[in-house]
């Protein structure tokens, strides 16, 4: 079973940038080229709110962005490293949330990484 682990969260001032990473693994099994077939997504959940999709990328590399982050966030995927990234620029206090990566087709989630943007 594929496991996902996010990293890169932290505390940043408004207007700053962060890059989140999410590495996929399957224990001792090398998922190898399988990661290239995964569509991956980044979600976020603010306190008291539902988890929402922020960005996703298909296996072919086509991105999708929520309107709230369009033009500020960039999703990318490095199949050689089994990693999906979320570059977040021009951060706003309303971007504060726990960010989760997900394998879209199976609903597999990582434990999340906290992003806090101070005003």
């Amino acid at each position: 079973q594929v496991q996902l682990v996010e990293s890169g969260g932290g505390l940043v001032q408004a207007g700053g940038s962060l890059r989140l990473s999410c590495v996929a693994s399957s224990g001792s099994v090398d998922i190898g080229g399988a990661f290239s077939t995964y569509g991956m997504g980044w979600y976020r959940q603010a306190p008291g709110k539902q988890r929402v999709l922020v960005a996703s990328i298909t296996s072919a590399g086509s991105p999708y962005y929520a309107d709230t982050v369009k033009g500020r966030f960039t999703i990318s995927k490095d199949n050689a490293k089994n990693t999906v990234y979320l570059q977040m620029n021009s951060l706003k206090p309303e971007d504060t949330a726990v960010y989760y990566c997900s394998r879209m087709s199976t609903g597999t989630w990582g434990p999340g990484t906290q992003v806090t943007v101070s005003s």
Side-chain angles (χ1 to χ4, degrees), residues 9 26 36 41 45 64 66 71 74 78 80-81 89 96-97 113 116 118:
S26 185
S36 66
Q45 186 168 18
Y64 159 84
T74 302
D78 187 334
K81 295 182 178 180
N89 299 329
T96 295
T113 186
T116 303
S118 63

Side-chain angles (χ1 to χ4, degrees), residues 11-54:
L11 174 63
V12 64
Q13 288 188 331
S17 299
L18 285 173
R19 188 176 81 154
L20 306 183
S21 300
C22 172
V23 179
S25 64
S26 185
S28 60
V29 177
D30 182 6
I31 61 175
F35 185 76
S36 66
T37 69
Y38 299 171
M40 299 294 294
W42 284 98
Y43 290 73
R44 68 186 181 190
Q45 186 168 18
K49 296 189 177 181
Q50 289 188 329
R51 191 174 299 187
V52 296
L53 179 64
V54 172

Side-chain angles (χ1 to χ4, degrees), residues 39-115:
M40 299 294 294
W42 284 98
Y43 290 73
R44 68 186 181 190
Q45 186 168 18
K49 296 189 177 181
Q50 289 188 329
R51 191 174 299 187
V52 296
L53 179 64
V54 172
S56 64
I57 187 166
T58 68
S59 58
S62 296
Y64 159 84
Y65 299 99
D67 287 343
T68 52
V69 305
K70 200 172 292 183
R72 300 188 297 122
F73 289 12
T74 302
I75 189 170
S76 61
K77 194 165 170 269
D78 187 334
N79 293 324
K81 295 182 178 180
N82 296 339
T83 302
V84 61
Y85 302 98
L86 186 68
Q87 177 66 45
M88 305 186 296
N89 299 329
S90 302
L91 282 161
K92 304 175 181 180
E94 50 264 43
D95 294 319
T96 295
V98 179
Y99 284 71
Y100 301 88
C101 77
S102 175
R103 183 183 171 192
M104 302 297 286
S105 62
T106 61
T108 303
W109 298 96
T113 186
Q114 176 71 47
V115 172

